[in-house]
Amino acid sequence: MVWSPVHIPDQSGRVALVTGASGGIGLETARVLAARGAHVLLACRSVGRGRAAAARVGGSTEVVRLDLASLDSVREAAALVRGRHERLDLLVNNAGVMFPPYRRTEDGFEAHFGVNHLGHFALTGLLLGLMTAVPDSRIVTVASLAHRAGLGVLDEDGARSSTGRRSLTAYGRSKLANLLFARELHHRLATAGAATASLAAHPGLSPTGLWHGDPPRFLRPVAAAGLRWLAQPADRAALPSLRAATDPRVPGGAHLGPSKLFESRGAPAPARSSRASRDMAARDRLWRLSEGLTGVRYAFPSAPRAAGASGAVCPVTGARA
């Protein structure tokens, strides 16, 4: 069976938050969830663009200001959501930057790593208390085919570097971090006995606003050719995220992407990933680094590493800033 939005179960009564929902894949993700009955929070850097997007999405929506380049903004957005809602069924960590026109975030982090990974790490931790007791709740983190270009060590020096603005490696490293985070989060949730699952998805190639940055000169003709021949529109590129968020047959910890043309386009299906993205030691190191850099500590214990080992299970209460 080829999966499509017609297979999405009724989402009435569910609350979903989609980051970067003012355009592109995030907008399409929000639109489909709202059409299936969910109340959708559009988390956007620009409230004006968010309101315009909400008008296009229709259904039951609200706009939340969220600038992932500012940990203060992340905390404010999370506090607003916690104040308005008692539960959150779906969190889609979709927003991102690629070759941005600035170098560092407000907190001094390399822009790709700060926005694409650290902002979402903090947001997820601060909202987790709304999710872990909600049956079938899911966190979907959007990765990329470019995670394979994420070479080098994920450490504090790299996180604070000012040299990654036009670097494919820096972008790839942030997307590798997305995959490592999604997998480690699911491992810790499962160990803690939470009702929430964590999954990853990538959109393949799509001519969205991400490509409006300033890519390295050598990449421009490659990107132009790839977008011309391999890319799919945003509504199709959103399908892996939508399936990860709503298909009960897809297990926690899964990674989905397009199924055709080297995973650049096609119906959503299980995706491949690099060996580095499956490194359990790297997952743990990234987690500890992210907690230290953001100041957000998740309230469940470290998971066991030995094969067959079982760790203590404690209630998961969310995170503290």
Side-chain angles (χ1 to χ4, degrees):
M1 180 192 74
V2 176
W3 190 92
S4 74
V6 301
H7 299 107
I8 295 177
D10 181 29
Q11 300 294 299
S12 297
R14 308 194 86 195
V15 179
L17 187 152
V18 182
T19 69
S22 62
I25 294 168
L27 173 62
E28 292 299 327
T29 302
R31 182 183 62 78
V32 174
L33 291 174
R36 297 300 296 154
H39 176 71
V40 184
L41 284 65
L42 285 71
C44 310
R45 187 173 59 181
S46 165
V47 173
R49 290 187 63 199
R51 288 172 178 163
R56 294 177 60 188
V57 166
S60 178
T61 62
E62 64 184 278
V63 176
V64 176
R65 185 184 181 278
L66 171 67
D67 183 356
L68 290 163
S70 164
L71 291 176
D72 283 346
S73 176
V74 171
R75 289 184 173 89
E76 290 169 5
L80 185 148
V81 173
R82 292 196 306 265
R84 291 180 180 176
H85 298 277
E86 296 182 352
R87 60 182 282 165
L88 185 63
D89 296 80
L90 301 175
L91 171 59
V92 183
N93 290 324
N94 164 82
V97 297
M98 184 168 64
F99 315 130
Y102 53 87
R103 293 195 173 188
R104 296 195 187 191
T105 69
E106 180 180 292
D107 304 282
F109 303 123
E110 188 277 313
H112 295 101
F113 192 75
V115 172
N116 297 352
H117 170 62
L118 291 175
H120 281 126
F121 179 92
L123 180 69
T124 302
L126 294 167
L127 294 178
L128 198 62
L130 298 178
M131 303 190 72
T132 52
V134 178
D136 302 319
S137 54
R138 292 193 169 197
I139 299 163
V140 179
T141 300
V142 178
S144 169
L145 286 168
H147 81 273
R148 297 178 182 277
L151 307 176
V153 179
L154 292 164
D155 58 14
E156 184 166 357
D157 287 343
R160 296 192 182 279
S161 170
S162 63
T163 61
R165 181 176 70 86
R166 297 177 64 188
S167 168
L168 178 61
T169 298
Y171 175 67
R173 192 178 297 127
S174 72
K175 295 285 105 180
L176 173 60
N178 288 155
L179 267 178
L180 292 169
F181 165 59
R183 286 170 169 160
E184 182 65 11
L185 176 59
H186 182 69
H187 181 69
R188 294 184 182 226
L189 287 167
T191 298
T196 308
S198 169
L199 303 90
H202 80 80
L205 292 178
S206 184
T208 66
L210 276 183
W211 292 95
H212 295 163
D214 186 18
R217 188 177 300 274
F218 79 90
L219 190 61
R220 294 172 191 174
V222 177
L227 291 175
R228 183 178 300 113
W229 300 109
L230 300 176
Q232 58 185 354
D235 62 333
R236 299 288 298 172
L239 295 184
S241 296
L242 286 165
R243 185 174 186 184
T246 64
D247 189 344
R249 297 170 303 171
V250 177
H255 174 213
L256 302 183
S259 56
K260 297 182 179 179
L261 291 174
F262 310 103
E263 297 185 8
S264 65
R265 61 187 300 155
R272 296 183 295 272
S273 64
S274 67
R275 180 179 298 179
S277 73
R278 300 189 298 273
D279 186 329
M280 294 181 71
R283 284 167 26 183
D284 188 65
R285 287 195 304 270
L286 176 66
W287 191 279
R288 288 185 279 111
L289 172 68
S290 302
E291 285 190 331
L293 294 177
T294 64
V296 174
R297 286 175 169 77
Y298 288 57
F300 44 74
S302 297
R305 292 296 169 198
S310 60
V313 177
C314 75
V316 180
T317 58
R320 59 181 182 274

Coordinates of all heavy atoms in Angstrom, one line a residue, residues 134-189:
V134 N 0.2 11.4 27.5 CA -0.8 11.4 26.5 C -0.7 10.2 25.6 O 0.3 10.0 24.9 CB -0.7 12.7 25.6 CG1 -1.8 12.7 24.5 CG2 -0.9 13.9 26.5
P135 N -1.7 9.3 25.5 CA -1.5 8.1 24.7 C -1.3 8.4 23.2 O -1.9 9.4 22.7 CB -2.9 7.4 24.9 CG -3.4 7.9 26.2 CD -2.9 9.3 26.3
D136 N -0.4 7.7 22.6 CA -0.1 7.8 21.2 C 0.5 9.2 20.8 O 0.4 9.6 19.7 CB -1.3 7.6 20.3 CG -1.8 6.2 20.6 OD1 -1.0 5.2 20.7 OD2 -3.1 6.0 20.6
S137 N 1.0 9.9 21.8 CA 1.7 11.2 21.5 C 3.0 11.0 20.8 O 3.6 10.0 21.0 CB 1.9 12.1 22.8 OG 2.6 11.3 23.7
R138 N 3.3 11.9 19.9 CA 4.6 11.7 19.1 C 5.3 13.0 18.9 O 4.7 14.1 18.8 CB 4.2 11.1 17.7 CG 3.6 9.7 17.8 CD 3.6 9.0 16.4 NE 3.3 7.6 16.6 CZ 3.5 6.7 15.7 NH1 4.0 7.1 14.5 NH2 3.3 5.4 15.9
I139 N 6.6 12.9 18.9 CA 7.6 13.9 18.6 C 8.3 13.6 17.3 O 8.9 12.5 17.2 CB 8.6 14.2 19.7 CG1 7.9 14.5 21.0 CG2 9.6 15.2 19.3 CD1 8.7 14.4 22.2
V140 N 8.1 14.4 16.3 CA 8.8 14.1 15.0 C 9.8 15.2 14.7 O 9.5 16.4 14.7 CB 7.8 14.1 13.8 CG1 8.5 13.9 12.5 CG2 6.7 13.1 14.1
T141 N 11.0 14.8 14.5 CA 12.1 15.8 14.3 C 12.5 15.6 12.8 O 12.8 14.5 12.3 CB 13.3 15.5 15.2 OG1 12.9 15.7 16.5 CG2 14.5 16.5 14.9
V142 N 12.5 16.7 12.1 CA 12.8 16.7 10.6 C 14.3 16.8 10.4 O 15.0 17.7 10.8 CB 12.1 17.8 9.9 CG1 12.4 17.8 8.4 CG2 10.6 17.7 10.1
A143 N 14.8 15.7 9.8 CA 16.3 15.7 9.4 C 16.5 16.0 8.0 O 15.7 16.7 7.4 CB 16.8 14.3 9.8
S144 N 17.5 15.4 7.4 CA 17.8 15.7 6.0 C 18.7 14.7 5.4 O 19.5 14.0 6.1 CB 18.4 17.1 5.9 OG 19.0 17.3 4.6
L145 N 18.6 14.5 4.0 CA 19.6 13.7 3.4 C 21.0 14.2 3.6 O 22.0 13.5 3.6 CB 19.4 13.7 1.8 CG 18.2 12.9 1.3 CD1 17.9 13.3 -0.1 CD2 18.5 11.4 1.4
A146 N 21.1 15.5 3.9 CA 22.5 16.2 4.1 C 23.1 15.7 5.4 O 24.3 16.1 5.7 CB 22.3 17.7 4.1
H147 N 22.4 14.9 6.2 CA 23.1 14.5 7.5 C 24.3 13.7 7.2 O 25.3 13.6 8.0 CB 22.1 13.6 8.3 CG 22.0 12.2 7.9 ND1 21.1 11.8 6.9 CD2 22.7 11.1 8.3 CE1 21.3 10.5 6.7 NE2 22.2 10.0 7.6
R148 N 24.4 13.1 6.0 CA 25.6 12.4 5.6 C 26.8 13.2 5.4 O 28.0 12.8 5.5 CB 25.4 11.6 4.3 CG 24.3 10.5 4.5 CD 24.0 9.8 3.2 NE 22.9 8.8 3.3 CZ 23.1 7.6 3.8 NH1 24.3 7.2 4.1 NH2 22.0 6.8 3.9
A149 N 26.6 14.5 5.3 CA 27.7 15.5 5.2 C 28.2 16.0 6.5 O 29.1 16.9 6.6 CB 27.3 16.7 4.2
G150 N 27.5 15.6 7.6 CA 27.8 16.0 8.9 C 29.1 15.4 9.5 O 29.1 14.6 10.4
L151 N 30.2 15.8 8.9 CA 31.5 15.3 9.3 C 32.1 16.0 10.5 O 31.7 17.2 10.8 CB 32.5 15.3 8.2 CG 32.0 14.7 6.8 CD1 33.1 15.0 5.8 CD2 31.7 13.2 7.0
G152 N 33.0 15.4 11.2 CA 33.6 16.0 12.4 C 32.9 15.7 13.7 O 31.9 15.0 13.7
V153 N 33.4 16.3 14.8 CA 32.9 16.0 16.1 C 31.9 17.0 16.5 O 32.0 18.2 16.3 CB 34.1 16.0 17.1 CG1 33.6 15.7 18.5 CG2 35.1 15.0 16.7
L154 N 30.8 16.5 17.1 CA 29.8 17.4 17.7 C 30.2 17.8 19.1 O 30.0 17.1 20.0 CB 28.4 16.7 17.7 CG 27.8 16.4 16.3 CD1 26.7 15.4 16.5 CD2 27.2 17.7 15.7
D155 N 30.8 19.0 19.2 CA 31.3 19.4 20.5 C 31.1 20.9 20.7 O 30.5 21.6 19.8 CB 32.8 19.1 20.6 CG 33.7 19.8 19.5 OD1 33.2 20.7 18.8 OD2 34.8 19.4 19.4
E156 N 31.5 21.4 21.8 CA 31.2 22.8 22.1 C 31.9 23.8 21.2 O 31.3 24.8 20.8 CB 31.5 23.2 23.6 CG 31.1 24.6 24.0 CD 31.1 24.8 25.5 OE1 31.4 23.9 26.2 OE2 30.8 26.0 25.9
D157 N 33.1 23.5 20.8 CA 33.8 24.4 19.9 C 33.1 24.5 18.6 O 32.9 25.6 18.0 CB 35.2 23.8 19.6 CG 36.2 24.0 20.8 OD1 35.8 24.8 21.7 OD2 37.2 23.3 20.9
G158 N 32.6 23.4 18.0 CA 31.8 23.4 16.8 C 30.5 24.1 17.0 O 30.0 24.9 16.1
A159 N 29.9 24.0 18.1 CA 28.6 24.6 18.4 C 28.7 26.1 18.4 O 27.8 26.8 18.1 CB 28.0 24.1 19.7
R160 N 29.9 26.6 18.9 CA 30.1 28.1 19.0 C 30.9 28.7 17.8 O 31.2 29.8 17.9 CB 30.7 28.4 20.3 CG 29.9 28.0 21.5 CD 30.4 28.6 22.8 NE 29.7 28.2 24.0 CZ 28.5 28.7 24.4 NH1 28.0 29.8 23.7 NH2 27.9 28.3 25.4
S161 N 31.2 27.9 16.8 CA 32.0 28.4 15.7 C 31.3 29.4 15.0 O 30.0 29.4 14.9 CB 32.3 27.2 14.8 OG 32.9 27.7 13.6
S162 N 32.0 30.4 14.4 CA 31.4 31.4 13.6 C 31.7 31.2 12.1 O 31.5 32.1 11.3 CB 31.9 32.8 14.0 OG 33.3 32.9 13.8
T163 N 32.2 30.0 11.7 CA 32.6 29.8 10.4 C 31.7 28.9 9.5 O 32.0 28.6 8.4 CB 34.0 29.2 10.4 OG1 33.9 27.9 11.1 CG2 35.0 30.1 11.1
G164 N 30.5 28.6 10.1 CA 29.7 27.6 9.4 C 28.6 28.2 8.5 O 27.8 27.4 8.0
R165 N 28.5 29.5 8.3 CA 27.3 30.1 7.7 C 27.1 29.5 6.3 O 26.0 29.2 5.9 CB 27.5 31.6 7.6 CG 26.3 32.3 6.9 CD 26.5 33.8 7.0 NE 27.5 34.3 6.1 CZ 27.3 34.5 4.8 NH1 26.1 34.3 4.3 NH2 28.3 34.9 4.0
R166 N 28.2 29.3 5.5 CA 28.0 28.8 4.1 C 28.6 27.4 4.0 O 29.0 27.0 2.9 CB 28.7 29.8 3.2 CG 28.0 31.1 3.2 CD 28.7 32.1 2.2 NE 28.7 31.7 0.8 CZ 29.4 32.2 -0.1 NH1 30.1 33.3 0.1 NH2 29.2 31.8 -1.4
S167 N 28.6 26.7 5.1 CA 29.2 25.4 5.1 C 28.2 24.2 5.0 O 27.3 24.1 5.8 CB 30.1 25.2 6.4 OG 30.5 23.9 6.5
L168 N 28.4 23.4 3.9 CA 27.5 22.2 3.8 C 27.8 21.3 5.0 O 26.9 20.6 5.5 CB 27.8 21.5 2.5 CG 27.0 20.2 2.2 CD1 25.5 20.5 2.2 CD2 27.5 19.5 0.9
T169 N 29.1 21.2 5.4 CA 29.4 20.4 6.6 C 28.6 20.8 7.8 O 28.1 20.0 8.6 CB 30.9 20.4 6.8 OG1 31.6 19.8 5.7 CG2 31.3 19.5 8.1
A170 N 28.6 22.2 8.1 CA 27.9 22.7 9.3 C 26.4 22.4 9.2 O 25.8 22.0 10.2 CB 28.1 24.2 9.4
Y171 N 25.8 22.6 8.0 CA 24.4 22.2 7.9 C 24.2 20.7 8.1 O 23.3 20.3 8.8 CB 23.9 22.6 6.5 CG 22.5 22.2 6.2 CD1 21.4 22.8 6.9 CD2 22.2 21.2 5.3 CE1 20.1 22.4 6.7 CE2 20.8 20.8 5.0 CZ 19.8 21.4 5.8 OH 18.5 21.0 5.5
G172 N 25.0 19.9 7.5 CA 24.9 18.5 7.6 C 25.1 18.0 9.1 O 24.4 17.1 9.5
R173 N 26.0 18.7 9.8 CA 26.2 18.4 11.2 C 25.0 18.6 12.0 O 24.6 17.9 12.9 CB 27.4 19.2 11.7 CG 27.9 18.7 13.1 CD 29.1 19.5 13.5 NE 30.3 19.3 12.6 CZ 30.9 20.3 12.0 NH1 30.6 21.5 12.2 NH2 31.9 20.0 11.2
S174 N 24.3 19.7 11.7 CA 23.1 20.0 12.4 C 22.0 19.0 12.1 O 21.2 18.6 13.0 CB 22.6 21.4 12.1 OG 22.0 21.5 10.8
K175 N 21.9 18.5 10.9 CA 20.9 17.5 10.6 C 21.3 16.1 11.1 O 20.4 15.3 11.5 CB 20.8 17.4 9.0 CG 20.2 18.7 8.4 CD 18.7 18.8 8.7 CE 18.3 19.8 9.7 NZ 16.8 19.9 9.9
L176 N 22.6 15.8 11.2 CA 23.0 14.6 11.9 C 22.6 14.7 13.4 O 22.1 13.7 14.0 CB 24.6 14.5 11.8 CG 25.2 13.3 12.6 CD1 24.6 12.0 12.2 CD2 26.7 13.4 12.4
A177 N 22.8 15.9 14.0 CA 22.3 16.1 15.4 C 20.8 15.8 15.5 O 20.4 15.2 16.5 CB 22.7 17.5 15.8
N178 N 20.0 16.2 14.5 CA 18.6 16.0 14.6 C 18.3 14.5 14.7 O 17.5 14.0 15.4 CB 17.9 16.5 13.3 CG 17.8 18.1 13.3 OD1 17.7 18.7 12.3 ND2 17.8 18.7 14.5
L179 N 19.0 13.7 13.9 CA 18.8 12.3 13.9 C 19.3 11.6 15.2 O 18.6 10.8 15.8 CB 19.5 11.6 12.7 CG 18.7 11.4 11.4 CD1 19.6 10.8 10.3 CD2 17.5 10.5 11.6
L180 N 20.4 12.0 15.6 CA 20.9 11.5 16.9 C 20.0 11.8 18.0 O 19.7 11.0 18.9 CB 22.3 12.0 17.2 CG 23.5 11.6 16.2 CD1 24.7 12.4 16.5 CD2 23.8 10.1 16.5
F181 N 19.5 13.0 18.1 CA 18.6 13.5 19.1 C 17.3 12.7 19.1 O 16.8 12.2 20.1 CB 18.3 15.0 18.9 CG 17.1 15.5 19.7 CD1 17.0 15.3 21.1 CD2 16.0 16.0 19.1 CE1 15.9 15.8 21.8 CE2 14.9 16.5 19.8 CZ 14.9 16.4 21.1
A182 N 16.7 12.5 17.9 CA 15.4 11.8 17.8 C 15.6 10.4 18.3 O 14.7 9.9 19.0 CB 14.9 11.8 16.3
R183 N 16.7 9.7 17.9 CA 16.8 8.3 18.4 C 17.1 8.2 19.9 O 16.6 7.3 20.5 CB 17.9 7.7 17.5 CG 17.5 7.4 16.1 CD 18.6 7.0 15.2 NE 18.0 6.5 13.9 CZ 18.6 6.5 12.8 NH1 19.9 6.9 12.7 NH2 18.1 6.0 11.7
E184 N 18.0 9.1 20.4 CA 18.3 9.1 21.8 C 17.0 9.4 22.6 O 16.8 8.8 23.7 CB 19.4 10.0 22.1 CG 19.8 10.0 23.6 CD 20.4 8.7 24.1 OE1 20.7 7.8 23.2 OE2 20.6 8.5 25.3
L185 N 16.2 10.4 22.1 CA 15.0 10.8 22.8 C 14.1 9.6 22.9 O 13.5 9.3 24.0 CB 14.3 11.9 22.1 CG 13.0 12.4 22.7 CD1 13.1 12.8 24.1 CD2 12.4 13.5 21.8
H186 N 13.9 8.8 21.8 CA 13.0 7.7 21.9 C 13.5 6.6 22.9 O 12.8 6.1 23.6 CB 12.8 7.1 20.5 CG 11.8 5.9 20.6 ND1 10.5 6.1 20.8 CD2 12.0 4.6 20.5 CE1 9.9 4.9 20.9 NE2 10.8 4.0 20.7
H187 N 14.8 6.4 22.8 CA 15.4 5.4 23.8 C 15.1 5.8 25.2 O 14.7 5.0 26.0 CB 16.9 5.4 23.5 CG 17.6 4.4 24.4 ND1 17.5 3.0 24.3 CD2 18.5 4.6 25.4 CE1 18.2 2.4 25.2 NE2 18.9 3.3 25.9
R188 N 15.3 7.1 25.5 CA 15.0 7.5 26.9 C 13.6 7.5 27.3 O 13.2 7.2 28.4 CB 15.7 8.9 27.1 CG 17.2 8.8 27.0 CD 17.9 10.2 27.3 NE 19.3 10.1 27.1 CZ 20.2 10.5 28.0 NH1 19.8 11.2 29.1 NH2 21.5 10.4 27.7
L189 N 12.7 7.9 26.3 CA 11.3 7.8 26.6 C 10.8 6.4 26.8 O 10.1 6.1 27.8 CB 10.5 8.4 25.4 CG 10.6 9.9 25.2 CD1 10.1 10.3 23.9 CD2 9.8 10.6 26.3

